[in-house]
Amino acid sequence: MIAELFGFDAAGLSALIASAGVTVGLALQGSLANFAGGVIIIIMRPFKLGDFITTNGESGTVEDIKLFYTYITTPDNRMVMIPNGACANNVIVNASAKDTRRVDITMSISYSADLEMAKKIAKTICLANEKVLRTPEPFAEVGEYAASSVEVYVRVWCKRTDYWDVKFFMLREIKKAYDEAGIEIPFDQLDVNIKQN
């Protein structure tokens, strides 16, 4: 109305303001999504400072949560800024949410190996580590028959902070015990038959 009083074309001015509003809205779309994501993260609290999370293909310890970005430090000491919009709309795996974690490893043994002995050795090794929880008790069982090996699934529970120590211990010590017992861990094999005319 004021523009019309001064002789300006109100329709043209309205179109200009509307197009400018659309342009600004599109330009701020990502920032507004990140802002909204930040608000959701702060209110819902799917993770907190110090938690180890995986989201958007990145894993690390949460260092800071801002309105627009979440900052995590990866195990190799890189700082990663994750937009909160993407973080709030994707799967978040929080490895620090529970006090205990299950450690899963798979040991491949030869088809000719003694399965019961392999299972017993795996359980004995697991129980030898004081960081492995006794309840639920360690599990070792045949999980799969692969092309060149029998897969033995070994699963134990431990405190969250002991996860990597227990995993590396199991991988190292079970292999050593299998070697001492003569339980072969086979390489992939392929039988080739040559036909002659």
Side-chain angles (χ1 to χ4, degrees):
M1 288 169 58
I2 293 171
E4 284 180 343
L5 286 175
F6 288 100
F8 290 105
D9 179 16
L13 190 59
S14 297
L16 180 65
I17 292 172
S19 61
V22 170
T23 303
V24 171
L26 289 173
L28 294 176
Q29 182 178 2
S31 296
L32 291 174
N34 289 339
F35 177 78
V39 171
I40 290 170
I41 289 170
I42 290 169
I43 292 172
M44 301 299 291
R45 298 185 61 80
F47 51 81
K48 61 185 184 303
L49 297 182
D51 283 357
F52 189 90
I53 65 168
T54 300
T55 185
N56 296 292
E58 296 289 346
S59 296
T61 303
V62 178
E63 295 291 334
D64 202 359
I65 304 169
K66 303 280 190 187
L67 274 178
F68 290 94
Y69 291 93
T70 293
Y71 298 80
I72 66 170
T73 301
T74 62
D76 60 348
N77 211 29
R78 292 177 296 126
M79 179 66 74
V80 179
M81 297 170 47
I82 302 173
N84 284 337
C87 195
N89 290 312
N90 280 297
V91 173
I92 301 169
V93 178
N94 188 343
S96 303
K98 303 290 183 181
D99 291 332
T100 59
R101 285 188 68 185
R102 192 178 76 187
V103 182
D104 297 0
I105 67 167
T106 301
M107 299 300 295
S108 300
I109 63 173
S110 169
Y111 271 95
S112 61
D114 184 334
L115 295 179
E116 291 306 314
M117 182 188 290
K119 291 173 5 184
K120 184 178 178 183
I121 289 172
K123 280 187 180 180
T124 302
I125 294 297
C126 293
L127 289 169
N129 189 331
E130 61 187 24
K131 293 181 179 178
V132 172
L133 300 178
R134 301 311 187 246
T135 306
E137 72 174 272
F139 170 90
E141 193 54 71
V142 174
E144 185 181 348
Y145 294 106
S148 302
S149 62
V150 177
E151 307 296 327
V152 177
Y153 293 171
V154 184
R155 296 174 179 158
V156 301
W157 287 85
C158 66
K159 290 181 181 175
R160 170 175 43 88
T161 53
D162 295 331
Y163 178 85
W164 290 110
D165 289 341
V166 170
K167 182 162 189 166
F168 294 146
F169 170 85
M170 289 168 57
L171 288 169
R172 180 183 64 248
E173 296 302 321
I174 293 174
K175 165 70 167 69
K176 282 166 58 177
Y178 279 2
D179 288 346
E180 290 171 6
I183 295 175
E184 181 187 358
I185 298 177
F187 297 103
D188 284 343
Q189 300 174 12
L190 179 65
D191 291 336
V192 178
N193 297 315
I194 300 173
K195 245 184 198 180
Q196 294 181 345
N197 291 334

